[in-house]
Amino acid sequence: STPSVAVGGAAGSNGTVSISGNDTSGTIAVNTGVGAGNGLLVSVTFVQKYGATPHIVVTPVGRPVPGMYINRTSAGFTISVDGALPPAGHAFDYIVME
């Protein structure tokens, strides 16, 4: 099953997100729009909560994303940025291990 994903304010007023994958690996696509800024870019909620906070590796695809950081819990993770991303499509691969 595919985790749920929600767009954060850092993606801008018409930013969108989508996800393909499962609770252990996948790709998140983010389309930033007008007014993109710093802060929460995307939030991912696992289909099945882990028994403890898992190890999560997130890698930008194709180009670096300076100031990117994640926060993680047993229920999911978030990707945030310290500065605004340019209006464009961005992708992030993720791997989750308990």
Side-chain angles (χ1 to χ4, degrees):
S1 297
T2 304
S4 61
V5 65
V7 66
S13 62
N14 57 346
T16 61
V17 296
S18 62
I19 190 169
S20 62
N22 54 43
D23 283 354
T24 57
S25 67
T27 300
I28 301 163
V30 179
N31 292 303
T32 54
V34 178
N38 64 331
L40 179 63
L41 189 62
V42 61
S43 178
V44 176
T45 303
F46 299 134
V47 173
Q48 185 168 338
K49 186 176 177 178
Y50 283 83
T53 301
H55 303 284
I56 301 173
V57 178
V58 177
T59 305
V61 177
R63 68 184 120 187
V65 176
M68 179 196 90
Y69 60 97
I70 68 166
N71 287 301
R72 58 194 172 93
T73 70
S74 60
F77 64 97
T78 60
I79 301 173
S80 298
V81 291
D82 280 339
L85 297 177
H90 306 274
F92 302 89
D93 283 343
Y94 67 91
I95 296 176
V96 181
M97 296 166 279
E98 188 170 21

